Amino acid sequence: ETAVFQTPNYHVTQVGNEVSFNCKQTLGHDTMYWYKQDSKKLLKIMFSYNNKQLIVNETVPRRFSPQSSDKAHLNLRIKSVEPEDSAVYLCASSPGRNYEQYFGPGTRLTVL
Amino acid sequence: GDSVTQTEGQVALSEEDFLTIHCNYSASGYPALFWYVQYPGEGPQFLFRASRDKEKGSSRGFEATYDKGTTSFHLRKASVQESDSAVYYCALGDMSNYNVLYFGSGTKLTVEP
C-alpha cells in the first residue's frame, strides 16, 4: 500500500536548469525527509522537516532547497542543476523519534 | 560522526542457504539500529529495528541482534528464497536528530533457484 507519493518518476534536464520534485504522505506523520541515492546506491540524508520547520540540513549545496506547505507535503527544488546531481531522490516520512521511516518510490534525475 | 559499515557489497547464494550480512556501527550515543530492503525501482522498505543492547529484531524470517559490545547488528536468515533477492541496508537512527538515518553502503543479495 503506497502512502508516500512522489512526482515525477523521472526527469531529464540540462545543466543550469531549475527542477522541482514533489512529495506527499498520507500517513499523518510529523516528520518528512529527503535522501539522495547515487549511482552506487549510496543513500544520504539531505533534509528533514518536522511540523514545517527545517531541523536537519546535512551540508548540501545551497542550490538545493526544501519547501513545505503543510506537514503532509515536502518538495525539493534544485536551482541550477549540475551533472553530479544525477541521482534518485527519495522522500520519506516518520511518526517521530525512534520510529521507522516510510519511503516513496523516488524521482530519478538525469542531468545532461 | 555516526556511521555504518557493511562489509559485503554482494552476496550470491542458492535457495535454502543460510544468509549472514555483517553490519557494524560507530556512534557517540545510543542509536536505534534498522534493516531496510530495497527492490528494483522502489524505495527502501523497513524490515525491523532494535533500540537497546541484546534486543532482537525480526521480520519475514530475517533477524538481527543489537550488540553494543561488538557494535554490530548482523542480518541473518536460515533459509533464503529467490524472492529475497534485493539490496539490504543497515542503518543507524540518530535519536537526537529526529531519527535521521545513516545508511550503510548496502549489500546486494542474489539468490539462485
Side-chain angles (χ1 to χ4, degrees), chain B residues 38-71:
Chain B
Q38 187 176 28
Y39 300 98
E42 299 182 10
Q45 294 177 20
F46 169 76
L47 258 183
F48 56 82
R49 73 170 181 271
S51 303
R52 57 188 180 276
D53 193 23
K54 303 296 184 259
E55 180 181 357
K56 183 166 84 172
S58 64
S59 176
R60 309 185 209 173
F62 294 90
E63 62 179 41
T65 300
Y66 193 135
D67 190 329
K68 196 166 185 289
T70 59
T71 60

Side-chain angles (χ1 to χ4, degrees), chain A residues 33 37 41 99-101, chain B residues 36 38 49 89 98-99 101:
Chain A
Y33 311 82
Q37 186 170 39
K41 300 287 190 181
Y99 288 93
E100 62 269 24
Q101 295 180 20
Chain B
Y36 281 80
Q38 187 176 28
R49 73 170 181 271
Y89 291 94
Y98 285 88
N99 200 28
L101 291 174

Side-chain angles (χ1 to χ4, degrees), chain A residues 37-103:
Chain A
Q37 186 170 39
D38 65 19
S39 58
K40 296 181 180 178
K41 300 287 190 181
L42 295 175
L43 277 158
K44 289 193 175 177
I45 181 70
M46 298 181 72
F47 299 103
S48 179
Y49 252 72
N50 179 263
N51 284 331
K52 294 175 64 177
Q53 292 193 341
L54 179 67
I55 52 177
V56 168
N57 181 340
E58 292 286 327
T59 63
V60 301
R62 287 192 170 195
R63 61 181 179 278
F64 289 85
S65 60
Q67 299 167 325
S68 178
S69 56
D70 55 57
K71 73 174 189 178
H73 296 84
L74 182 64
N75 300 330
L76 180 67
R77 186 180 77 157
I78 313 174
K79 215 171 186 179
S80 176
V81 296
E82 298 187 4
E84 60 263 33
D85 299 337
S86 293
V88 176
Y89 292 88
L90 290 155
C91 177
S93 73
S94 171
R97 301 182 189 194
N98 206 33
Y99 288 93
E100 62 269 24
Q101 295 180 20
Y102 295 83
F103 284 80

Side-chain angles (χ1 to χ4, degrees), chain B:
Chain B
D2 295 351
S3 65
V4 175
T5 301
Q6 289 179 242
T7 50
E8 297 93 351
Q10 296 189 62
V11 173
L13 296 172
S14 300
E15 280 195 325
E16 300 184 10
D17 280 352
F18 189 93
L19 169 71
T20 301
I21 298 176
H22 294 95
C23 171
N24 288 88
Y25 70 91
S26 172
S28 53
Y30 204 142
L33 301 173
F34 300 79
W35 277 100
Y36 281 80
V37 57
Q38 187 176 28
Y39 300 98
E42 299 182 10
Q45 294 177 20
F46 169 76
L47 258 183
F48 56 82
R49 73 170 181 271
S51 303
R52 57 188 180 276
D53 193 23
K54 303 296 184 259
E55 180 181 357
K56 183 166 84 172
S58 64
S59 176
R60 309 185 209 173
F62 294 90
E63 62 179 41
T65 300
Y66 193 135
D67 190 329
K68 196 166 185 289
T70 59
T71 60
S72 66
F73 193 55
H74 305 318
L75 181 69
R76 294 187 168 91
K77 187 174 185 182
S79 176
V80 295
Q81 302 301 312
E82 189 177 2
S83 58
D84 293 328
S85 297
V87 179
Y88 291 81
Y89 291 94
C90 184
L92 176 159
D94 185 348
M95 297 300 105
S96 65
N97 219 1
Y98 285 88
N99 200 28
V100 164
L101 291 174
Y102 295 97
F103 286 89
S105 53
T107 298
K108 183 175 181 180
L109 172 65
T110 304
V111 181
E112 299 291 337

